[in-house]
Amino acid sequence: MSEPVDDRDRLRHLLTLEGLGSARIQALLDRAAALRAQFRAGASALPLLQGRTVVNLFFEPSTRTRTSFELAARRLGALVVNFDIASSSTSKGETLEDTLATLEAMDADAFVVRHKENGTPARLATHARRAAILNAGDGNHAHPTQGLLDLLTIRDRKRHVEGLKVTICGDIKHSRVARSDIHGLGALGAADIRLCGPAALLPAPDQFPHCGLYDDFDAAIAGADVVIMLRLQKERMESLPDLDETTYFARYGLSSARLARAQRDALVMHPGPMNRGVEIASDVADGAQSAILDQVANGVFVRMAALAELLRD
Ligand code: NCD
Protein backbone atom coordinates (compact mmCIF):
# COMPACT_ATOMS: atom_id res chain seq x y z
CA MET A 1 0.00 0.00 0.00
CA SER A 2 1.59 3.24 -1.11
CA GLU A 3 -0.91 5.83 0.09
CA PRO A 4 0.79 8.04 2.67
CA VAL A 5 -2.42 7.94 4.74
CA ASP A 6 -4.61 5.03 5.88
CA ASP A 7 -8.38 4.65 5.52
CA ARG A 8 -8.83 6.77 8.67
CA ASP A 9 -6.73 9.55 7.17
CA ARG A 10 -3.84 8.88 9.52
CA LEU A 11 -0.28 9.15 8.24
CA ARG A 12 1.06 5.76 7.21
CA HIS A 13 4.43 6.58 5.61
CA LEU A 14 6.57 9.73 5.63
CA LEU A 15 7.93 10.10 2.10
CA THR A 16 7.87 13.84 1.39
CA LEU A 17 6.51 17.08 2.83
CA GLU A 18 4.98 17.96 -0.53
CA GLY A 19 1.22 17.98 -0.17
CA LEU A 20 1.29 17.04 3.52
CA GLY A 21 -0.50 20.26 4.49
CA SER A 22 0.09 22.70 7.28
CA ALA A 23 -2.18 21.04 9.91
CA ARG A 24 -0.36 17.72 9.69
CA ILE A 25 3.06 19.43 9.68
CA GLN A 26 2.19 21.61 12.68
CA ALA A 27 0.87 18.56 14.55
CA LEU A 28 4.19 16.74 14.01
CA LEU A 29 6.12 19.81 15.18
CA ASP A 30 3.88 20.15 18.24
CA ARG A 31 4.43 16.52 19.09
CA ALA A 32 8.21 16.92 18.69
CA ALA A 33 8.17 19.98 20.96
CA ALA A 34 6.10 18.10 23.57
CA LEU A 35 8.51 15.14 23.53
CA ARG A 36 11.41 17.55 23.85
CA ALA A 37 9.80 19.15 26.89
CA GLN A 38 9.33 15.73 28.50
CA PHE A 39 12.97 14.79 27.92
CA ARG A 40 14.26 18.13 29.10
CA ALA A 41 12.17 17.71 32.24
CA GLY A 42 14.09 14.54 33.00
CA ALA A 43 12.44 11.64 31.16
CA SER A 44 15.18 9.33 29.91
CA ALA A 45 12.96 7.01 27.88
CA LEU A 46 9.28 6.89 26.97
CA PRO A 47 7.90 3.43 26.25
CA LEU A 48 5.72 4.50 23.30
CA LEU A 49 7.41 2.04 20.95
CA GLN A 50 8.15 -0.76 23.41
CA GLY A 51 8.24 -4.08 21.56
CA ARG A 52 8.41 -2.45 18.11
CA THR A 53 11.29 -2.91 15.68
CA VAL A 54 12.79 -0.15 13.52
CA VAL A 55 15.21 -1.09 10.73
CA ASN A 56 17.70 1.46 9.41
CA LEU A 57 18.30 0.80 5.71
CA PHE A 58 20.98 3.27 4.65
CA PHE A 59 22.41 2.83 1.16
CA GLU A 60 24.42 6.07 1.35
CA PRO A 61 26.89 7.31 3.96
CA SER A 62 25.31 9.19 6.86
CA THR A 63 26.41 10.29 10.30
CA ARG A 64 23.78 12.54 11.80
CA THR A 65 20.61 11.25 10.17
CA ARG A 66 21.23 7.58 10.91
CA THR A 67 22.36 8.24 14.47
CA SER A 68 19.46 10.61 15.00
CA PHE A 69 16.88 8.03 13.86
CA GLU A 70 18.56 5.39 15.99
CA LEU A 71 18.48 7.57 19.11
CA ALA A 72 14.89 8.57 18.41
CA ALA A 73 13.74 4.95 18.14
CA ARG A 74 15.71 3.86 21.22
CA ARG A 75 14.42 6.74 23.31
CA LEU A 76 10.91 5.50 22.58
CA GLY A 77 11.84 1.97 23.62
CA ALA A 78 12.02 0.37 20.16
CA LEU A 79 14.49 -2.26 19.11
CA VAL A 80 16.77 -0.90 16.36
CA VAL A 81 18.43 -2.95 13.67
CA ASN A 82 21.12 -1.25 11.62
CA PHE A 83 21.05 -3.22 8.42
CA ASP A 84 24.59 -3.70 7.16
CA ILE A 85 24.28 -3.17 3.41
CA ALA A 86 27.87 -4.09 2.54
CA SER A 87 27.54 -7.59 4.02
CA SER A 88 23.88 -8.11 3.10
CA SER A 89 22.16 -10.14 0.42
CA THR A 90 21.49 -7.01 -1.65
CA SER A 91 25.18 -7.25 -2.52
CA LYS A 92 24.40 -10.82 -3.71
CA GLY A 93 21.78 -9.58 -6.17
CA GLU A 94 18.64 -9.69 -4.01
CA THR A 95 16.11 -7.01 -4.94
CA LEU A 96 15.30 -4.35 -2.38
CA GLU A 97 11.67 -5.50 -2.43
CA ASP A 98 12.75 -9.00 -1.42
CA THR A 99 14.97 -7.59 1.33
CA LEU A 100 11.97 -5.63 2.62
CA ALA A 101 9.67 -8.68 2.49
CA THR A 102 12.27 -10.76 4.33
CA LEU A 103 12.67 -8.23 7.13
CA GLU A 104 8.91 -7.67 7.33
CA ALA A 105 8.48 -11.41 7.79
CA MET A 106 10.65 -10.98 10.90
CA ASP A 107 8.10 -8.46 12.17
CA ALA A 108 9.94 -5.23 11.43
CA ASP A 109 7.50 -2.37 12.03
CA ALA A 110 9.29 0.52 10.32
CA PHE A 111 12.03 1.03 7.76
CA VAL A 112 14.11 4.18 7.66
CA VAL A 113 15.40 4.37 4.10
CA ARG A 114 18.17 6.43 2.53
CA HIS A 115 19.04 5.82 -1.10
CA LYS A 116 20.79 7.67 -3.90
CA GLU A 117 17.91 7.11 -6.32
CA ASN A 118 14.84 9.36 -6.23
CA GLY A 119 11.68 7.45 -5.38
CA THR A 120 13.21 4.38 -3.69
CA PRO A 121 11.35 4.90 -0.36
CA ALA A 122 8.07 5.49 -2.25
CA ARG A 123 8.66 2.31 -4.25
CA LEU A 124 9.25 0.32 -1.09
CA ALA A 125 6.09 1.83 0.40
CA THR A 126 4.09 0.27 -2.44
CA HIS A 127 5.49 -3.14 -1.42
CA ALA A 128 5.26 -2.82 2.36
CA ARG A 129 2.48 -5.02 3.68
CA ARG A 130 2.27 -3.57 7.17
CA ALA A 131 5.45 -1.65 7.92
CA ALA A 132 5.81 2.13 7.77
CA ILE A 133 8.45 3.64 5.48
CA LEU A 134 10.27 6.80 6.54
CA ASN A 135 12.31 8.57 3.88
CA ALA A 136 15.72 9.55 5.29
CA GLY A 137 16.78 11.16 1.99
CA ASP A 138 16.36 9.93 -1.60
CA GLY A 139 18.59 11.37 -4.36
CA ASN A 140 17.79 15.04 -4.78
CA HIS A 141 14.07 14.44 -4.18
CA ALA A 142 13.12 14.72 -0.50
CA HIS A 143 14.37 14.60 3.08
CA PRO A 144 11.16 15.16 5.03
CA THR A 145 12.51 14.82 8.58
CA GLN A 146 15.24 17.35 7.77
CA GLY A 147 12.52 19.70 6.53
CA LEU A 148 10.56 19.19 9.76
CA LEU A 149 13.56 19.77 12.01
CA ASP A 150 14.38 22.94 10.09
CA LEU A 151 10.79 24.15 10.55
CA LEU A 152 10.86 23.36 14.27
CA THR A 153 14.14 25.25 14.68
CA ILE A 154 12.74 28.27 12.85
CA ARG A 155 9.45 28.12 14.77
CA ASP A 156 11.33 27.98 18.09
CA ARG A 157 13.44 31.05 17.37
CA LYS A 158 11.03 33.13 15.29
CA ARG A 159 7.77 31.92 16.92
CA HIS A 160 6.20 31.19 13.54
CA VAL A 161 7.17 30.59 9.93
CA GLU A 162 4.37 32.63 8.40
CA GLY A 163 5.52 35.83 6.75
CA LEU A 164 9.26 35.09 6.99
CA LYS A 165 11.84 35.79 4.30
CA VAL A 166 14.07 32.74 3.91
CA THR A 167 17.20 32.56 1.75
CA ILE A 168 18.59 29.15 0.83
CA CYS A 169 22.07 29.35 -0.70
CA GLY A 170 24.33 26.77 -2.32
CA ASP A 171 23.83 23.70 -4.45
CA ILE A 172 20.04 23.84 -4.65
CA LYS A 173 19.87 21.67 -7.75
CA HIS A 174 21.17 18.54 -6.04
CA SER A 175 19.65 19.17 -2.64
CA ARG A 176 16.81 17.10 -1.22
CA VAL A 177 17.06 19.28 1.89
CA ALA A 178 16.25 22.38 -0.17
CA ARG A 179 13.23 20.64 -1.70
CA SER A 180 11.79 19.53 1.62
CA ASP A 181 12.49 22.97 3.14
CA ILE A 182 10.76 24.67 0.20
CA HIS A 183 7.67 22.46 0.58
CA GLY A 184 7.55 22.83 4.36
CA LEU A 185 8.17 26.59 4.36
CA GLY A 186 5.53 27.03 1.66
CA ALA A 187 2.98 24.98 3.62
CA LEU A 188 3.54 27.08 6.74
CA GLY A 189 3.22 30.36 4.87
CA ALA A 190 6.76 31.75 4.49
CA ALA A 191 6.36 35.02 2.59
CA ASP A 192 9.44 34.95 0.40
CA ILE A 193 11.64 31.96 -0.38
CA ARG A 194 14.81 32.92 -2.24
CA LEU A 195 17.00 30.28 -3.84
CA CYS A 196 20.57 31.36 -4.53
CA GLY A 197 23.61 29.74 -6.11
CA PRO A 198 25.70 29.64 -9.27
CA ALA A 199 23.34 29.42 -12.27
CA ALA A 200 24.43 25.83 -12.94
CA LEU A 201 23.35 24.78 -9.44
CA LEU A 202 19.91 26.40 -9.47
CA PRO A 203 16.73 24.46 -10.28
CA ALA A 204 14.85 25.04 -13.53
CA PRO A 205 12.80 28.27 -13.22
CA ASP A 206 9.46 26.43 -13.56
CA GLN A 207 10.25 23.94 -10.78
CA PHE A 208 9.43 26.29 -7.92
CA PRO A 209 7.46 29.11 -9.51
CA HIS A 210 6.71 30.70 -6.13
CA CYS A 211 10.43 31.01 -5.20
CA GLY A 212 12.82 33.74 -6.34
CA LEU A 213 16.01 32.58 -8.11
CA TYR A 214 19.22 34.53 -7.53
CA ASP A 215 22.83 34.12 -8.60
CA ASP A 216 23.89 37.15 -6.55
CA PHE A 217 24.08 36.25 -2.84
CA ASP A 218 24.32 39.88 -1.69
CA ALA A 219 20.95 40.55 -3.31
CA ALA A 220 19.41 37.26 -2.09
CA ILE A 221 20.40 37.75 1.55
CA ALA A 222 19.25 41.37 1.90
CA GLY A 223 16.67 41.58 4.70
CA ALA A 224 16.40 37.79 5.19
CA ASP A 225 15.01 36.42 8.49
CA VAL A 226 16.57 33.00 7.98
CA VAL A 227 19.62 31.95 5.94
CA ILE A 228 20.04 28.26 5.16
CA MET A 229 23.43 27.28 3.73
CA LEU A 230 24.02 24.12 1.72
CA ARG A 231 27.10 22.12 0.81
CA LEU A 232 28.26 21.56 -2.77
CA GLN A 233 27.09 17.98 -3.28
CA LYS A 234 29.92 16.98 -5.57
CA GLU A 235 28.99 13.30 -5.46
CA ARG A 236 25.77 14.15 -7.33
CA MET A 237 27.27 16.44 -9.97
CA GLU A 238 28.02 15.32 -13.48
CA SER A 239 30.66 18.03 -13.80
CA LEU A 240 32.11 20.22 -11.08
CA PRO A 241 31.36 23.96 -11.24
CA ASP A 242 34.10 26.03 -12.70
CA LEU A 243 34.88 27.79 -9.38
CA ASP A 244 37.70 27.08 -6.97
CA GLU A 245 36.83 27.07 -3.27
CA THR A 246 38.18 30.57 -2.63
CA THR A 247 36.16 32.07 -5.47
CA TYR A 248 33.10 30.07 -4.39
CA PHE A 249 33.40 31.41 -0.84
CA ALA A 250 33.82 34.97 -2.13
CA ARG A 251 30.60 34.72 -4.17
CA TYR A 252 28.42 32.28 -2.26
CA GLY A 253 30.00 31.84 1.16
CA LEU A 254 28.35 33.17 4.32
CA SER A 255 30.83 35.57 5.96
CA SER A 256 29.92 37.84 8.86
CA ALA A 257 30.07 40.84 6.51
CA ARG A 258 27.50 39.23 4.25
CA LEU A 259 25.34 38.13 7.17
CA ALA A 260 25.15 41.81 8.20
CA ARG A 261 22.99 42.40 5.09
CA ALA A 262 20.27 40.12 6.50
CA GLN A 263 17.98 41.08 9.41
CA ARG A 264 19.95 41.89 12.55
CA ASP A 265 18.58 38.80 14.30
CA ALA A 266 18.64 36.54 11.22
CA LEU A 267 19.00 32.85 11.97
CA VAL A 268 21.86 30.90 10.35
CA MET A 269 21.21 27.26 9.52
CA HIS A 270 23.01 24.37 7.81
CA PRO A 271 21.87 20.73 7.57
CA GLY A 272 25.46 19.44 7.69
CA PRO A 273 27.87 18.10 6.77
CA MET A 274 29.43 21.55 6.73
CA ASN A 275 32.50 22.64 4.79
CA ARG A 276 33.98 25.48 6.81
CA GLY A 277 35.57 28.15 4.67
CA VAL A 278 33.76 26.93 1.53
CA GLU A 279 30.07 27.73 2.03
CA ILE A 280 30.27 29.17 5.55
CA ALA A 281 32.91 30.99 7.61
CA SER A 282 33.82 29.31 10.89
CA ASP A 283 33.01 32.37 12.98
CA VAL A 284 29.49 32.47 11.51
CA ALA A 285 28.95 28.72 11.94
CA ASP A 286 29.93 29.04 15.61
CA GLY A 287 28.46 32.51 16.14
CA ALA A 288 25.52 33.77 18.19
CA GLN A 289 23.10 33.69 15.23
CA SER A 290 23.87 30.07 14.36
CA ALA A 291 21.18 27.48 15.09
CA ILE A 292 23.15 24.63 13.55
CA LEU A 293 23.45 22.52 16.70
CA ASP A 294 19.82 23.26 17.62
CA GLN A 295 18.91 21.72 14.27
CA VAL A 296 20.81 18.57 15.23
CA ALA A 297 19.16 18.41 18.65
CA ASN A 298 15.70 18.99 17.18
CA GLY A 299 16.31 16.24 14.64
CA VAL A 300 16.04 13.56 17.31
CA PHE A 301 12.72 14.92 18.65
CA VAL A 302 11.22 15.33 15.18
CA ARG A 303 12.13 11.73 14.35
CA MET A 304 10.66 10.56 17.64
CA ALA A 305 7.44 12.37 16.72
CA ALA A 306 7.38 10.86 13.23
CA LEU A 307 8.03 7.31 14.50
CA ALA A 308 5.42 7.67 17.24
CA GLU A 309 2.86 8.97 14.74
CA LEU A 310 3.46 6.23 12.15
CA LEU A 311 3.71 3.37 14.67
CA ARG A 312 0.73 4.29 16.81
CA ASP A 313 -1.44 1.31 17.84
C1 NCD B 1 22.07 16.24 3.94
C2 NCD B 1 21.69 15.05 3.10
O1 NCD B 1 22.23 13.97 3.23
O2 NCD B 1 20.81 15.25 2.28
N1 NCD B 1 22.57 15.94 5.18
C3 NCD B 1 21.72 15.60 6.19
O3 NCD B 1 20.95 14.66 6.09
N2 NCD B 1 21.75 16.35 7.30
C4 NCD B 1 22.77 17.29 3.23
C5 NCD B 1 24.02 16.97 2.46
O4 NCD B 1 24.40 15.84 2.25
O5 NCD B 1 24.66 17.95 2.06
Side-chain angles (χ1 to χ4, degrees):
M1 162 172 173
S2 63
E3 285 303 306
V5 294
D6 67 12
D7 50 11
R8 288 164 60 191
D9 203 34
R10 298 179 312 181
L11 207 56
R12 181 163 146 60
H13 303 290
L14 183 58
L15 304 173
T16 172
L17 297 187
E18 190 173 7
L20 207 55
S22 92
R24 236 185 259 280
I25 291 176
Q26 294 281 20
L28 281 167
L29 302 183
D30 290 344
R31 187 161 199 176
L35 287 163
R36 182 174 63 192
Q38 280 177 282
F39 271 79
R40 299 213 167 138
S44 55
L46 296 168
L48 286 176
L49 298 185
Q50 199 93 55
R52 314 301 286 276
T53 302
V54 176
V55 180
N56 271 330
L57 276 181
F58 278 64
F59 294 88
E60 267 189 3
S62 167
T63 314
R64 78 209 76 226
T65 305
R66 200 189 59 74
T67 313
S68 181
F69 266 109
E70 177 162 357
L71 280 172
R74 286 189 193 280
R75 283 187 188 172
L76 295 177
L79 197 72
V80 179
V81 178
N82 284 309
F83 190 72
D84 183 0
I85 308 294
S87 61
S88 74
S89 296
T90 42
S91 63
K92 298 184 194 161
E94 180 174 87
T95 66
L96 258 181
E97 286 82 350
D98 283 334
T99 305
L100 176 85
T102 302
L103 294 165
E104 259 200 302
M106 296 181 201
D107 287 334
D109 297 290
F111 291 87
V112 179
V113 182
R114 170 169 286 196
H115 201 280
K116 70 176 183 346
E117 268 162 41
N118 290 6
T120 300
R123 200 182 89 216
L124 289 179
T126 66
H127 286 85
R129 281 178 297 115
R130 196 182 50 81
I133 307 290
L134 292 98
N135 183 1
D138 60 330
N140 71 349
H141 170 244
H143 194 349
T145 56
Q146 179 72 44
L148 291 171
L149 75 89
D150 287 348
L151 293 172
L152 180 61
T153 306
I154 295 170
R155 209 181 73 163
D156 285 342
R157 298 269 196 122
K158 300 278 168 201
R159 300 173 65 113
H160 48 69
V161 173
E162 205 177 344
L164 294 180
K165 288 194 182 82
V166 182
T167 303
I168 308 179
C169 181
D171 179 7
I172 314 279
K173 184 172 173 179
H174 299 99
S175 176
R176 51 198 176 208
V177 175
R179 278 167 185 69
S180 284
D181 282 348
I182 292 166
H183 290 132
L185 290 163
L188 298 200
D192 187 3
I193 305 173
R194 303 165 178 179
L195 310 179
C196 175
L201 300 179
L202 286 173
D206 56 355
Q207 211 181 349
F208 302 108
H210 57 291
C211 298
L213 297 187
Y214 295 73
D215 63 4
D216 175 351
F217 194 15
D218 287 321
I221 200 173
D225 298 295
V226 178
V227 185
I228 302 176
M229 300 305 297
L230 299 171
R231 174 179 74 91
L232 291 167
Q233 292 148 88
K234 293 184 180 155
E235 72 279 12
R236 303 214 177 92
M237 294 179 192
E238 278 138 34
S239 60
L240 292 179
D242 192 17
L243 289 175
D244 60 63
E245 291 189 347
T246 314
T247 316
Y248 184 85
F249 181 76
R251 293 204 196 144
Y252 299 104
L254 187 60
S255 60
S256 50
R258 200 162 255 147
L259 181 59
R261 301 176 65 84
Q263 294 291 340
R264 209 160 43 84
D265 58 352
L267 206 58
V268 172
M269 298 172 55
H270 194 307
M274 193 160 54
N275 293 294
R276 291 171 183 264
V278 182
E279 71 269 11
I280 188 165
S282 258
D283 62 329
V284 175
D286 302 331
Q289 285 168 259
S290 170
I292 295 171
L293 292 178
D294 292 347
Q295 291 175 267
V296 177
N298 284 334
V300 179
F301 298 112
V302 153
R303 290 170 179 125
M304 288 167 77
L307 285 166
E309 172 64 22
L310 297 177
L311 298 186
R312 77 213 147 234
D313 289 319

